[in-house]
Amino acid sequence: MDCLIIGYTKGKGDRASVFGGLHLAKPNGNDLHYLGKVGTGFDNRALEAVWEEVSKIPTIKRPIKEKPVDDAVSIWIEPTLWCEVQYASMTANETLREPVFVRMRLDLGDE
């Protein structure tokens, strides 16, 4: 699934210089539907490449109505970057179960 990156959590440990996980959403009319977070599927090269793109995007107030558990340690960004994730299934509240980062989708822009 192609998803908008709407924010990230600060990295800890060996990810302290980048991010912990990416908050994801999909367009839903004029709103965004929160899909959860992805934090796996990144090798070191991908972490650095994604961080290079994400860190350029201006920060904003939380762009979704939902308040994720880790909202206090999240940085929200303008929803302009896309990535592709694989996932096992959707949960009852329509978030991704076991999402894994596949790649950035720099070919997708503001739609």
Side-chain angles (χ1 to χ4, degrees):
M1 173 186 283
D2 292 325
C3 306
L4 277 168
I5 299 171
I6 61 169
Y8 59 92
T9 55
K10 294 179 180 179
K12 299 176 185 173
D14 60 348
R15 286 196 185 184
S17 65
V18 288
F19 60 90
L22 300 174
H23 288 286
L24 305 174
K26 67 179 179 180
N28 184 19
N30 291 329
D31 294 322
L32 293 171
H33 174 77
Y34 185 62
L35 294 172
K37 241 180 17 185
V38 62
T40 62
F42 303 97
D43 59 20
N44 287 336
R45 194 168 130 215
L47 277 170
E48 293 295 332
V50 171
W51 179 242
E52 184 176 327
E53 296 299 325
V54 168
S55 63
K56 294 178 195 174
I57 305 299
T59 59
I60 59 172
K61 291 183 179 178
R62 181 172 17 101
I64 51 172
K65 294 175 186 154
E66 299 85 357
K67 186 174 182 180
V69 174
D70 51 9
D71 182 58
V73 295
S74 295
I75 289 83
W76 302 100
I77 62 172
E78 290 182 2
T80 58
L81 289 176
W82 290 83
C83 70
E84 180 181 340
V85 297
Q86 291 181 333
Y87 60 98
S89 61
M90 294 293 269
T91 65
N93 63 348
E94 295 187 8
T95 59
L96 303 176
R97 181 174 282 122
E98 301 175 21
V100 176
F101 178 84
V102 176
R103 64 186 173 127
M104 291 296 291
R105 290 297 311 266
L106 300 177
D107 58 318
L108 298 177
D110 293 325
E111 295 181 354

